[in-house]
Structure formats: C-alpha cells, structure tokens
Amino acid sequence: MKKILDRITEEMKGAFTAAGYDATYGKVTLSNRPDLCEYQCNGAMAAAKDYKKKPIDIANGVVEHLKDSEIFEEVSAVMPGFINLKIGSGFLADYMNGMRTGEKLGMEPAEHPETVIVDYGGANVAKPLHVGHLRAAVIGEAIKRMGRFVGHKVIGDVHLGDWGLQMGLIIEELKERQPELCYFDEGYTGEYPEEPPFTISELEEIYPAASAKSKVDEAFKERAQEATFRLQSGYAPYRAIWNHIMSVSLKDLKKNYSNLNVEFDLWKGESDAQPYIPAMIDDLVEKGLAYESQGALVVDIAEETDTKELPPCIIRKSDGAALYATSDLATIVEREQDFHPDHYIYVVDKRQDLHFTQVFRVAKKAGIVAPERKMDFVGFGTMNGKDGKPFKTREGGVMRLENLIADISEAAYNRIMENRTISPEEARETAKIVGLAALKYGDLSNQATKDYVFDIERFTSFEGNTGPYILYTIARINSILKKYEAVCGTPKDPVILPPEAEPEKTLMLALSRFSEVMEAGFEELAPHKICAYIYELSNALNHFYHETKIIAEEDKEKQAGYIGLVTLTRSVLTTCIGLLGFEAPERM
C-alpha cells in the first residue's frame, strides 16, 4: 500500500504531464496553511521560469486536468500560482480501510532491505548503570526497533567497556583485600572456583575505591597497570578473575537494561576486538597510512573539503597501548567479517563527534569498509537538571538508573492516585508502565542532539506533550470499545465510512501519514518525529471524541464506522509506542 503522499504526488504529476509540463513539477507537500487546504503543490511557480508563462496560468491549466480526480474533493489555483488540495472523503475512507486490513497498517516493506548494526549502550562492566547511560539506551533501542519495522535486519550491540586499566585496578584492589585467594598464589595449579569471590554490590564498591586510590598512590597505579598487562597477555589467574567480573556484571546489566525495556542481540565488548588489532595495525602500516609521530602511530584523516583542522587519528600510543579508536576500528573489522553490514549507526554522546569522524574516515581510507558504506553517528546531548547542569542526585552525585526509574514510577503512582479510580495495588503496577513511558517519551520527544531538562513533574503529567498523555489517549479508546461491546457486542470487521465532519476527517488525515512518518523517522534516525506524530494523533483522537457521539449514535452503520476508526487509531498508537520502547496499560 503506497504512502498517501506518493498517491497524491502521482496524481499531480499526471496532471502536469497532461497539461504539457514536465512531471517533476508535480511535487506535493503537506500544507503549511491547514486552514486553507490539506496539501499543496508549488510546481507552477518553478515551471513558470522554464516555460516562460505566468505561474497562475500554469496552475489553472493543471487544475483543469484534476477536476474529475477521485483523490481530491477540491483543487484550486490561487495567486500567484499555488495549487491547493483537499482530499476526497471516499478516497480517504478507502485508505483507512486499507490500513485497517493491511499488514503493518498498510506500510510497504523496505525496497532495499539492509543489514544494520546499531551500537548503543556502552556501559562499563563492574559499574552500575547511571543516568549518563539513559540516552544511549533509549535512543538506540528506538532506532533499532524503527529499523526493523520498516523492513531492515537490525542488530543491536551493547559494546561493553570490558578491557583496559579498570580491570587491572579491580584485580589489584581485590589482591590487597583478599591476598589469600588462589588467583594470587603463584604456585597454585588447580582449577579456579566457579563461584566469584565478590557480589555485584562488592564489585561496584571495589572499582571506585581502586580508582580513587590510583590517583594518590603511584605505586598502586603501577601495579594495576602491570595487572592489566598480564590480563591482556593471557595470564590464566587474572583471566579467571576477569571472567568472574564479566559474569557478575552482565547478570546485573541485563537486569537493569531489561527494566528499561532495552534488549541487545550482541553482548560484545572491547575485549572481543582485541584479537583483530595486531593484523589491522600491520595492514595500516603496510598500506602507508599509519606513520610514527612523536613516538605514536597515527593516520591522517584530513580532507580538502574540511572547514576546520582535524587532527590525525592515534592508533597506538608511544608506550605501545591501544586506544578507543584502535578498539573501535578493530570492532568494525570483526563486524565486517561476521555480518557484512550495509549500515553502521553509533548512538553515543555528541562530545565524541571528532572520535567517530576519525574512526569512520580511517575505516574507509584503509578499505576496512567500502567507501560508500553508510556510517552514521547519532550524537546526543545531555540530560540536565532544572539548574541547567547535568542531572545529579540531591547530594550532588551521579544517580543510578534504577533509582531514577523508581523515582519517576513513584511520581506516576502519585498522579494516578489523585484520580482514585483504581486500587493502590493496580496503581502500583500501572505506575511502572506509566513511569517508564514518561521517562522514555520525555527523552525521545527531544531532538537527540539537543540537551534537555529532566522535569519529573512535567514528564508525569497527564496533559500536554507527555508519555502519560499518549497512554491516557489509548486508555480512553479502550474504554470506548468496552462500552461499545457492552451494548452492541464485539464489533465484526467495522468498515470505516467517509468522514462527514471536520474532527473525523482531521483524525483520518493524521492516520494516513503513518507510513510516511515511519519511513522518515528511521531514514533521519529521528525518534522525536514519531513522538511529534503520536502527540498530533492523540490530539486529533481526543478532538474527535469530544465532538462526536460515538456510543449514543443511533445509526448503527455509522457507529460501527466510528468504532473502526478509533480501533485503527489505537493500533497506530500502540505500534508507535512499541517502537519507542514502552507499552500502555489497559486503563489509567
């Protein structure tokens, strides 16, 4: 089922051709004056120059060929040469019924399906998830789901920070605390224990303590660096500790990501890329791309079209250590080998812009990926408190993500209990769903690159552009359908009829743009466009509800048509919130 804009544009192009003009002038857009028309075409303005005619004469000629169109109920040419379009009620009803009965609400699958890697998450093992991890997880999950919905094979990778000095710090701190452990007995030759020598709570306390100690105790830091080197060289006792760290951390990370309704296909980390690094560096050197500069190995990435100076990408430091760029490039080598992706998407803090510019350019320059490979960096802004600074706890520390989720669920619970329409027990369960919706929608409704203020009062409001408002709209539809079933029984394939009034048509016009929004949302990697769409759709539904007697309608065919329309609206809303990564309760 074609997008409605494509159907309209085809009709307009045919009219331009029939009037003797090139079809390319028949481009149609959504009207920027909805008080005058629903869609518009400005092609006559552009054609006037090429055909040396007045725009209004061209517009009038095109309009003449649309007077019998089944798509439009009104077409008019207005000075100086705009063509205003209003969609026909019969065509619109047919389109609604096509959506109602079609797979994926009538959306056509991607013409050229791609394999897409979405790299998001980026948590470090041995550390709890905190508010700084929220945006990568929420935005990345939405982009992954959006890509799958439009027809691509999308693979989500958490890309853990599980390698480097942090591991050596943990090992050395553990050695100081529990020197009797077999991992630190040079003469031990037995099997290493299956049970880890620490809990997740202990592990999360060990790392910050070790990190703080390394800043004031140079000898401790040097021992940690040596432990890191031994681990990375394959020293069996330290590998055993590392396996314990990974096991304990992954279990906790999976639980916390699950609480956010975020799932990964791959739980890969920096450690997985390490085997690919030596050969990759050798290849860069052999190709003459990598050279020594002040003892480090670097690759130039500057291009003639750059508007500012870009520094070389450091592949190996002067002490022989690899960097994040090295690991990220090696990860691309691994992904090319395992998945042959058509498209890479990295969802990371926007302050990493230079880093990914360097990585992408080196990858293409070195032939790790093809020059035409799509590589996108979705850099996001920070989540700030009301003071405009990065969000902190009342004590000034970084808030754990599980505490943030608990706080917003509590706020949602208090909102729900203000109405006192459900029991406290049901309100608690509902609050978990509403709280997550408030949190995710509050984040995703902002353009990713922009910073935003985390305002728990505004995010949990049942009014305005919020997640709870969207859920409340769905709950309202559920209530309408229950009332209808109580009076008339379960609706049997209710056919949507042509709209007779403005609220009904406005709702249909909003619904008709579903496929267009889904495609554009993924193409532009912009979940905020879906948020804007479902807010508009919710407003249209609520306007229709207030202006239309649905349950009291005596014409049963017309009433069934209304039921079909609100049912379709619910399907579109629930599909969209599913793509954004949250769900709706049955009632609120």
Side-chain angles (χ1 to χ4, degrees):
M1 185 171 160
K2 290 183 180 178
K3 298 193 293 292
I4 193 164
L5 189 59
D6 290 346
R7 296 279 299 278
I8 297 168
T9 299
E10 282 177 3
E11 190 85 347
M12 183 58 66
K13 285 183 174 181
F16 266 88
T17 302
Y21 306 107
D22 194 283
T24 56
Y25 294 110
K27 183 181 178 183
V28 176
T29 60
L30 199 64
S31 173
N32 57 17
R33 285 290 306 276
D35 55 318
L36 298 177
C37 59
E38 295 151 1
Y39 287 87
Q40 66 188 59
C41 174
N42 303 335
M45 306 291 287
K49 184 178 179 182
D50 291 339
Y51 289 92
K52 296 180 173 53
K53 289 185 177 181
K54 291 180 181 178
I56 192 65
D57 291 342
I58 295 174
N60 280 323
V62 172
V63 167
E64 186 65 24
H65 288 278
L66 291 169
K67 62 183 180 182
D68 297 323
S69 171
E70 294 181 358
I71 291 181
F72 306 116
E73 71 178 24
E74 186 180 320
V75 183
S76 57
V78 296
M79 291 293 289
F82 302 118
I83 300 174
N84 290 348
L85 309 166
K86 287 191 176 180
I87 307 302
S89 297
F91 170 76
L92 196 53
D94 288 343
Y95 199 87
M96 292 297 98
N97 286 305
M99 288 182 66
R100 183 176 58 83
T101 58
E103 189 177 350
K104 287 190 175 181
L105 297 165
M107 182 163 181
E108 292 184 333
E111 192 174 345
H112 303 289
E114 297 178 338
T115 297
V116 184
I117 297 279
V118 183
D119 185 317
Y120 66 108
N124 290 311
V125 300
K127 297 181 185 178
L129 286 180
H130 56 74
V131 294
H133 296 113
L134 176 71
R135 300 212 71 190
V138 168
I139 297 168
E141 182 70 14
I143 288 173
K144 180 190 75 178
R145 293 179 181 216
M146 289 158 60
R148 286 178 178 170
F149 186 79
V150 300
H152 300 298
K153 177 185 178 183
V154 188
I155 301 162
D157 188 356
V158 67
H159 196 68
L160 296 165
D162 64 349
W163 209 239
L165 182 59
Q166 71 191 76
M167 295 299 144
L169 288 168
I170 293 169
I171 291 169
E172 194 57 34
E173 180 68 14
L174 187 65
K175 186 176 182 179
E176 287 198 359
R177 295 184 181 198
Q178 300 184 62
E180 73 284 357
L181 292 175
C182 61
Y183 313 97
F184 307 118
D185 180 354
E186 296 285 348
Y188 184 77
T189 57
E191 294 289 322
Y192 293 106
E194 290 186 10
E195 287 297 312
F198 40 67
T199 64
I200 184 62
S201 298
E202 290 167 339
L203 184 59
E204 289 176 355
E205 186 273 324
I206 287 172
Y207 174 70
S211 180
K213 190 181 295 183
S214 71
K215 291 178 173 64
V216 295
D217 187 338
E218 190 61 34
F220 176 81
K221 183 179 180 180
E222 287 178 5
R223 292 198 300 275
Q225 289 171 332
E226 174 63 22
T228 303
F229 176 77
R230 296 185 77 180
L231 167 67
Q232 295 182 353
S233 300
Y235 182 55
Y238 289 0
R239 279 287 176 137
I241 295 174
W242 180 79
N243 286 329
H244 287 317
I245 295 171
M246 293 300 294
S247 175
V248 169
S249 288
L250 281 177
K251 184 178 179 182
D252 186 66
L253 284 170
K254 287 181 178 180
K255 179 192 76 175
N256 281 290
Y257 274 122
S258 178
N259 289 339
L260 260 184
N261 202 13
V262 170
E263 297 176 349
F264 298 96
D265 304 289
L266 303 175
W267 286 82
K268 296 269 191 178
E270 292 170 335
S271 60
D272 293 285
Q274 301 311 302
Y276 298 88
I277 289 177
M280 181 192 74
I281 291 179
D282 288 345
D283 185 57
L284 290 170
V285 173
E286 286 173 15
K287 288 178 176 174
L289 296 174
Y291 64 93
E292 278 202 18
S293 175
Q294 299 179 355
L297 198 64
V298 303
V299 176
D300 286 329
I301 57 123
E303 296 177 356
E304 289 183 3
T305 54
D306 292 336
T307 56
K308 61 181 179 180
E309 188 175 342
L310 296 177
C313 179
I314 302 174
I315 302 299
R316 187 174 61 206
K317 291 200 298 186
S318 56
D319 62 3
L323 292 93
Y324 284 126
T326 327
S327 176
D328 280 337
L329 284 164
T331 299
I332 294 172
V333 173
E334 181 186 18
R335 288 168 176 167
E336 284 291 312
Q337 176 182 291
D338 293 348
F339 304 108
H340 310 292
D342 303 292
H343 191 180
Y344 288 88
I345 301 169
Y346 291 78
V347 184
V348 188
D349 189 310
K350 67 181 179 183
R351 289 170 292 190
Q352 298 296 315
D353 185 25
L354 173 61
H355 167 79
F356 283 101
T357 297
Q358 292 176 320
V359 168
F360 294 168
R361 289 191 180 183
V362 173
K364 292 187 175 184
K365 204 170 181 180
I368 297 172
V369 301
E372 68 276 7
R373 182 77 76 253
K374 288 191 282 188
M375 304 187 88
D376 284 307
F377 168 61
V378 181
F380 53 80
T382 56
M383 183 179 90
N384 296 325
K386 289 183 179 179
D387 59 359
K389 297 176 182 178
F391 191 82
K392 301 281 186 182
T393 62
R394 288 195 182 94
E395 295 74 33
V398 178
M399 180 176 279
R400 292 175 73 121
L401 200 47
E402 58 187 315
N403 293 341
L404 183 72
I405 294 172
D407 284 354
I408 203 163
S409 295
E410 183 66 24
Y413 171 77
N414 292 333
R415 292 273 191 179
I416 292 167
M417 288 306 291
E418 286 173 8
N419 299 324
R420 292 193 174 274
T421 56
I422 58 177
S423 69
E425 294 75 23
E426 185 180 351
R428 282 288 175 198
E429 291 305 308
T430 302
K432 291 178 185 176
I433 301 171
V434 175
L436 187 60
L439 183 65
K440 287 194 161 189
Y441 190 92
D443 188 296
L444 292 170
S445 58
N446 296 277
Q447 192 170 339
T449 55
K450 294 181 178 178
D451 301 346
Y452 74 91
V453 173
F454 180 79
D455 185 340
I456 201 165
E457 289 298 313
R458 183 172 69 83
F459 285 4
T460 56
S461 173
F462 282 37
E463 298 176 353
N465 189 11
T466 68
Y469 171 69
I470 307 299
L471 301 193
Y472 184 76
T473 302
I474 296 171
R476 167 168 277 169
I477 297 173
N478 291 339
S479 176
I480 294 168
L481 296 178
K482 279 193 173 181
K483 288 176 182 176
Y484 178 82
E485 287 179 20
V487 175
C488 304
T490 304
K492 295 179 181 178
D493 193 31
V495 175
I496 298 171
L497 302 178
E500 294 182 353
E502 174 273 321
E504 192 179 358
K505 189 175 187 184
T506 297
L507 178 55
M508 290 187 185
L509 286 168
L511 286 166
S512 71
R513 292 176 43 238
F514 170 74
S515 294
E516 176 191 331
V517 172
M518 294 305 105
E519 266 189 29
F522 181 69
E523 190 175 319
E524 298 172 35
L525 306 177
H528 72 277
K529 293 206 161 189
I530 296 181
C531 292
Y533 172 68
I534 58 176
Y535 178 54
E536 175 194 338
L537 183 58
S538 295
N539 284 338
L541 181 283
N542 287 313
H543 177 50
F544 170 70
Y545 169 79
H546 287 299
E547 299 295 325
T548 310
K549 294 178 179 178
I550 300 174
I551 303 302
E553 175 58 54
E554 295 181 359
D555 183 327
K556 294 305 175 186
E557 186 182 19
K558 185 186 290 189
Q559 185 186 49
Y562 291 160
I563 294 300
L565 185 58
V566 298
T567 302
L568 175 60
T569 305
R570 182 176 65 175
S571 297
V572 170
L573 287 173
T574 54
T575 297
C576 289
I577 66 171
L579 299 182
L580 297 174
F582 56 91
E583 58 188 17
E586 181 65 24
R587 61 178 185 160
M588 289 170 67

